[in-house]
Amino acid sequence: MKGRTDDPQFNKCHKFRQPTSGWKLPETAYTHPDFHLETLKGIKTELNRVKGQLDQFDLTEWTRHTHHRDPSGYVISQLRSKVHPELLTQAWCKFYEILSKFPSLVIQTSAPLTSLHLCEAPGAFVSALNHFLVLNYPEIGWKWWANTLNPFYEGTSGAQMISDDRLICHTREHWLFGPDSTGDLLRWENHEEIVRKCLGWDLVTADGSIDCMENPGEQENLVGFLHYCESVTALRVLRSEGSFVLKIFTIFEHFTVCLVYLLNCVFREVFLYKPGTSKSGNSELYLICLGYKGLETVAPIWDQLIAPYKNGEFPRGVALWGIEELPKDFLDQIERCCISFFLERQCATINNNIRAFLVPLESDETLLHKQKIKVAKEYFQLCCLVRIPRNRRLVPHLKVHERLKQEERDSSTICLNDFQFQDHLSITTGRRIRTVYSSKFWDAQEGLPVKSCLTDPQSLYNLSQSMLRKQYSIIDGAKLTLSPYYTYQEQLFKTTKEALESNKPIIYLGAPFNTHFLAGLWCLLATAFLYVHTEPGMCVFYAPQIGKVSGVQRVFDQISEQPVGDVLYILRPEAFCNELRFICPVLRRYNAFNKRF
């Protein structure tokens, strides 16, 4: 089992202590005006003042500096060289540390162990838990599900999601993206699917966050609704005595204060923990909640509690509970935690990093090096980590911690005539894509409007098209509506279906193929032709194979049975991470004509 450490780096923890009678839930929810606690408001003001000093520094240089100053900076490198964890990231280190500090998270009465991981991309918590179970409970069964913003859905901004799909594409059957295929946990319908799949489970983790670079001083306000949705989902799916791990940040606002109180009322033990492998200069904290008392604890107020979730936002000017309904001893503990974690520790770290940035000293480097060695040693002592057998990894046959290089083709001419698309066929509907914000088939800047540059109105251009039309079916992107994007996809599908019926070679001019739906359409079409030639902005499908055209037409008919604008995938998206990996650079080269806009 786990070791111990007295190093203060790994003992930044507060256990909430309740009176003998315990804290009680109020009888109603969302019926009181919101509130501000003056003490917490003052701490927030001081923390933001200290953070405001960072505006004078170049962001890239400051990030490099704080990364270097991190006392746990040697942990990852030593793990990589000694343990070779699968999908090693900072999140992996943090969660393995949490499991080692709180091993009762996985002590369970049912078999196998069941775990749900919310906002989980790229999958480090799942990988860390697998490693932990193999070393400490090698005979235990384990079943897991995970949810995250779908990296295969082009309608979500890359700034909002983690697009790293190295684990997802090999474990797709474990990931819940919801009926709309977005994976957006803020949407009630996606919450409902998770509940249907995971009711009565042992452990829930929630590691979600939102990009707050534009307004870092209001991070808590920006992530508050997400943390609420994660918590409501956990309360809905956990079995009695189950456990919950929730990442939060500061605790200055009424919704976070009330959320922490809610969790204290429905779990037997709640800890606020700052992992030693979490950067000391950030506000990140984890709530470790043990011994769930069951959904019946919140049943009297459940309908009121979930109303904001169903509405998609908190009610304006209203708090979960009034300030007078929260016990003074609870508020006192929140105040002490905020002073300890944010004023005393985080502010001190930021100020120390500023001093070291402005006046670097050789003695600082010597002390920092010794501290990093000590922290890494203490981490290994706490976690007792060794390698696990390859066959016990989540993906035994691949090193998912290593990014695969995109398979490049020397020629711009390829053949998919022998590709068995039936093995990958998956006509899937979901939330319509109005705008393409992210795509593995397009290198253009995120959110950039998709336009066609091949719109030359000159007579020679028109004459060339008219001559070619006698032998080719020509699909001109300039004649298609590109906004909203689902309308463009419907039009392109319809014109492609008509072109295929003509049994002629097909030429695409300036018609983007930059979503999984269109990439699947492209590959499906390619199987019906002898070969395909691509150049930026132009793609030619040569020599239709009559026998295979009929097979593709049958699939087109299946697609036509759906509202085409709702179809997100024709082929399973993970195919483009594996067998069809080489298609991504082919389509990026073709779609390069969009870069100039």
Side-chain angles (χ1 to χ4, degrees):
M1 284 303 295
K2 304 296 102 186
R4 292 181 175 274
T5 176
D6 295 324
D7 192 313
Q9 184 76 9
F10 300 99
N11 286 288
K12 293 176 279 189
C13 183
H14 173 82
K15 180 179 181 180
F16 285 94
R17 303 192 182 280
Q18 301 187 24
T20 306
S21 59
W23 291 325
K24 306 298 181 183
L25 285 175
E27 296 179 354
T28 59
Y30 295 110
T31 59
H32 290 75
D34 60 15
F35 60 86
H36 293 283
L37 295 170
E38 288 303 317
T39 303
L40 302 186
K41 186 177 179 181
I43 296 172
K44 176 181 179 178
T45 300
E46 175 59 16
L47 177 60
N48 284 340
R49 184 196 67 78
V50 173
K51 286 181 177 179
Q53 300 176 82
L54 307 182
D55 294 341
Q56 62 184 302
F57 305 124
D58 176 78
L59 180 59
T60 302
E61 290 184 13
W62 179 255
T63 301
R64 188 184 303 116
H65 172 68
T66 54
H67 178 76
H68 172 68
R69 297 277 302 171
D70 180 13
S72 65
Y74 290 167
V75 171
I76 281 188
S77 60
Q78 292 203 23
L79 282 172
R80 186 175 290 116
S81 64
K82 296 178 181 179
V83 180
H84 298 280
E86 188 176 28
L87 203 66
L88 176 62
T89 66
Q90 200 79 28
W92 194 102
C93 299
K94 290 184 291 188
F95 191 51
Y96 205 98
E97 178 187 334
I98 288 170
L99 291 167
S100 301
K101 289 285 289 188
F102 303 93
S104 57
L105 283 168
V106 296
I107 292 176
Q108 37 77 55
T109 57
S110 61
L113 175 74
T114 50
S115 65
L116 167 66
H117 306 272
L118 304 174
C119 303
E120 173 58 13
F125 274 32
V126 175
S127 175
L129 179 55
N130 179 63
H131 203 112
F132 182 87
L133 293 176
V134 170
L135 291 186
N136 297 282
Y137 303 96
E139 304 303 321
I140 197 174
W142 178 37
K143 181 179 179 181
W144 64 274
W145 286 103
N147 152 269
T148 200
L149 286 172
N150 188 353
F152 306 134
Y153 179 77
E154 290 85 6
T156 300
S157 168
Q160 293 179 297
M161 66 179 175
I162 296 175
S163 58
D164 187 341
D165 58 11
R166 285 174 291 168
L167 180 65
I168 295 173
C169 66
H170 298 293
T171 57
R172 176 63 186 86
E173 67 278 8
H174 290 275
W175 294 82
L176 302 173
F177 295 133
D180 66 359
S181 292
T182 65
D184 187 354
L185 188 64
L186 304 184
R187 296 175 63 84
W188 177 256
E189 61 181 335
N190 294 333
H191 159 90
E192 290 278 79
E193 184 194 56
I194 291 170
V195 173
R196 286 193 296 271
K197 292 278 189 180
C198 305
L199 194 60
W201 281 37
D202 300 310
L203 171 66
V204 176
T205 69
D207 197 39
S209 185
I210 292 173
D211 183 14
C212 303
M213 289 298 293
E214 294 297 319
N215 194 2
E218 294 301 324
Q219 183 177 40
E220 185 179 343
N221 279 302
L222 294 171
V223 300
F225 191 71
L226 173 62
H227 293 164
Y228 154 81
C229 294
E230 291 173 321
S231 300
V232 167
T233 303
L235 298 186
R236 186 98 178 269
V237 305
L238 278 173
R239 65 166 177 82
S240 179
E241 297 301 325
S243 303
F244 179 38
V245 177
L246 171 68
K247 179 167 75 175
I248 62 171
F249 295 95
T250 50
I251 317 174
F252 301 145
E253 309 297 341
H254 64 84
F255 44 80
T256 311
V257 173
C258 289
L259 178 61
V260 175
Y261 183 68
L262 169 65
L263 296 176
N264 270 279
C265 290
V266 299
F267 286 89
R268 301 189 192 284
E269 291 184 292
V270 177
F271 300 82
L272 199 56
Y273 183 61
K274 174 78 169 177
T277 43
S278 173
K279 290 185 178 180
S280 303
N282 67 30
S283 302
E284 179 181 73
L285 298 172
Y286 286 85
L287 280 164
I288 315 298
C289 308
L290 307 174
Y292 183 43
K293 298 176 185 178
L295 189 60
E296 61 273 11
T297 311
V298 290
I301 62 168
W302 183 253
D303 289 343
Q304 294 173 302
L305 183 64
I306 63 175
Y309 205 159
K310 290 183 174 181
N311 293 333
E313 62 181 357
F314 287 132
R316 294 184 181 275
V318 177
L320 176 54
W321 295 303
I323 182 66
E324 68 280 1
E325 295 183 289
L326 301 178
K328 184 178 184 304
D329 55 344
F330 167 75
L331 295 176
D332 288 344
Q333 290 185 62
I334 290 292
E335 180 180 325
R336 291 198 299 271
C337 285
C338 288
I339 291 172
S340 173
F341 284 108
F342 307 124
L343 276 188
E344 296 178 355
R345 293 194 179 110
Q346 188 180 359
C347 288
T349 298
I350 294 172
N351 285 325
N352 193 36
N353 285 339
I354 291 173
R355 182 199 58 76
F357 187 85
L358 296 175
V359 187
L361 300 175
E362 187 175 336
S363 58
D364 282 351
E365 287 298 305
T366 302
L367 290 173
L368 179 60
H369 175 64
K370 290 180 178 179
Q371 186 182 19
K372 287 182 177 181
I373 293 174
K374 183 176 183 293
V375 168
K377 180 181 178 180
E378 294 290 340
Y379 182 87
F380 273 80
Q381 179 178 320
L382 170 66
C383 299
C384 301
L385 272 158
V386 295
R387 296 188 192 189
I388 62 173
R390 178 176 288 275
N391 65 352
R392 298 299 301 273
R393 291 183 172 187
L394 296 169
V395 186
H397 60 288
L398 289 174
K399 297 179 179 179
V400 297
H401 58 283
E402 295 180 1
R403 289 186 177 275
L404 292 174
K405 293 182 179 179
Q406 287 290 354
E407 184 178 343
E408 299 284 354
R409 295 293 175 97
D410 294 335
S411 173
S412 57
T413 302
I414 66 170
C415 176
L416 282 182
N417 204 229
D418 294 328
F419 176 66
Q420 301 299 315
F421 68 80
Q422 296 86 352
D423 297 338
H424 304 276
L425 194 63
S426 179
I427 301 171
T428 305
T429 60
R431 190 179 186 187
R432 292 185 164 195
I433 297 175
R434 298 192 62 87
T435 304
V436 174
Y437 287 105
S438 59
S439 172
K440 63 168 47 184
F441 309 105
W442 184 33
D443 285 334
Q445 184 179 347
E446 178 183 294
L448 214 56
V450 180
K451 298 181 181 179
S452 173
C453 65
L454 303 180
T455 57
D456 189 346
Q458 295 180 10
S459 57
L460 181 60
Y461 175 83
N462 294 327
L463 176 64
S464 299
Q465 282 215 37
S466 64
M467 293 177 66
L468 285 171
R469 287 188 189 282
K470 296 177 181 180
Q471 297 177 313
Y472 295 86
S473 291
I474 299 178
I475 298 175
D476 189 346
K479 298 179 180 179
L480 302 178
T481 301
L482 286 162
S483 180
Y485 208 72
Y486 62 79
T487 299
Y488 164 69
Q489 295 191 136
E490 289 176 320
Q491 294 174 342
L492 188 62
F493 171 80
K494 180 181 178 181
T495 54
T496 298
K497 190 172 185 294
E498 292 170 352
L500 190 62
E501 292 169 354
S502 72
N503 288 319
K504 293 180 182 179
I506 301 176
I507 299 177
Y508 290 91
L509 298 174
F513 286 84
N514 56 359
T515 63
H516 277 84
F517 170 80
L518 294 178
L521 179 69
W522 192 96
C523 290
L524 192 64
L525 191 64
T527 65
F529 290 79
L530 188 60
Y531 59 94
V532 185
H533 181 82
T534 59
E535 297 290 345
M538 183 182 73
C539 182
V540 185
F541 290 79
Y542 290 99
Q545 306 296 289
I546 304 303
K548 296 196 173 184
V549 165
S550 60
V552 172
Q553 285 176 326
R554 284 193 293 272
V555 178
F556 276 36
D557 290 338
Q558 293 178 44
I559 296 170
S560 298
E561 294 173 0
Q562 308 281 347
V564 177
D566 294 342
V567 177
L568 298 180
Y569 314 126
I570 298 173
L571 305 179
R572 291 184 178 87
E574 55 266 31
F576 293 101
C577 306
N578 301 304
E579 292 89 340
L580 294 175
R581 193 169 69 251
F582 69 93
I583 294 297
C584 297
V586 169
L587 289 181
R588 282 201 296 269
R589 182 171 60 237
Y590 165 75
N591 288 322
F593 70 90
N594 279 301
K595 284 185 179 180
R596 69 188 66 183
F597 291 93

